[in-house]
Amino acid sequence: MYGLVNKAIQDMVCSQCGEEIWTQIKTKAEVQDEVFVSMEAYPDDLTHRLVKAASHVLGLSSAEIMQAFGEFWVKYTAEEGYGELLEMSGDTLPEFLENLDNLHARVGVTFPKLQPPSFECTDTEERSLQLHYRSEREGLAPMVAGLVKGLGDRFNTEVDVVQTESREIGADHDVFVVKYKEN
């Protein structure tokens, strides 16, 4: 994953728990990097070690941390210079979710080694849709639920996200039912 992801994890932990906790997590994860370079690719294992160490230090499950990170990621990327790109991807939650693959295609111009996930919306009805998530990476489905919640905040929309199919229990991809109500 790109350093931007690891940098975001660091910033989330430091802003919510403090620098000392971040140092404990880094030590537990055996990560030597003092800073993460946003545009540099890092092994996925490093990110997974950080999440596992954060789980141990904070007493939360990896899924809880990934979900919180997903929520944080939406606001973080908007503040880190990607706000305009986010704004071009949709004016409402369902429109944004429909355009996620286009967003990743645009991001791929800046990050050529990007291995983006794929998203598809089906069964789109008033205030409800199914979000199909496909990725070569494992263990990131909880982050998707957090991302959708973070997007709900971005669009001032109440969101209820329930995962209905999971690769971890044999499905070929992850599926979420997203119910929403604009405020």
Side-chain angles (χ1 to χ4, degrees):
M1 289 186 215
Y2 274 96
L4 182 64
V5 173
N6 299 326
K7 191 172 176 289
I9 292 171
Q10 177 180 358
D11 287 0
M12 180 180 79
V13 170
C14 288
S15 67
Q16 296 178 4
C17 304
E19 300 261 345
E20 188 176 317
I21 296 295
W22 171 247
T23 301
Q24 289 177 29
I25 290 169
K26 244 179 54 170
T27 300
K28 181 91 179 156
E30 299 179 358
V31 171
Q32 308 300 320
D33 303 76
E34 286 302 316
V35 294
F36 297 108
V37 178
S38 295
M39 301 292 288
E40 187 173 318
Y42 291 81
D44 286 3
D45 174 61
L46 187 149
T47 305
H48 289 295
R49 288 192 337 250
L50 286 171
V51 171
K52 186 175 179 181
S55 174
H56 179 81
V57 170
L58 300 173
L60 299 168
S61 71
S62 292
E64 290 171 316
I65 289 171
M66 292 303 291
Q67 186 167 331
F69 179 66
E71 288 184 60
F72 181 81
W73 180 251
V74 173
K75 188 174 177 184
Y76 181 81
T77 52
E79 293 172 352
E80 288 295 308
Y82 301 94
E84 199 170 295
L85 186 60
L86 295 175
E87 287 177 19
M88 293 186 332
S89 298
D91 294 328
T92 64
L93 176 68
E95 185 179 327
F96 193 94
L97 293 175
E98 287 277 355
N99 287 321
L100 277 172
D101 284 358
N102 292 332
L103 170 72
H104 285 113
R106 288 188 198 117
V107 171
V109 173
T110 305
F111 297 93
K113 294 179 182 175
L114 185 71
Q115 297 172 317
S118 176
F119 294 89
E120 179 186 7
C121 295
T122 63
D123 299 324
T124 304
E125 298 174 7
E126 188 176 352
R127 299 182 185 172
S128 175
L129 58 86
Q130 283 192 348
L131 181 64
H132 299 261
Y133 163 69
R134 294 174 177 85
S135 176
E136 295 176 14
R137 296 185 161 102
E138 294 183 10
L140 301 181
M143 182 179 169
V144 172
L147 286 168
V148 173
K149 289 182 179 178
L151 288 168
D153 291 341
R154 178 175 175 80
F155 293 110
N156 192 27
T157 300
E158 291 179 38
V159 178
D160 182 39
V161 184
V162 176
Q163 187 170 2
T164 56
E165 294 184 40
S166 172
R167 281 192 334 178
E168 290 186 13
I169 56 172
D172 69 340
H173 68 280
D174 298 291
V175 180
F176 301 85
V177 171
V178 179
K179 294 182 180 177
Y180 56 92
K181 178 182 171 193
E182 295 176 14
N183 291 324

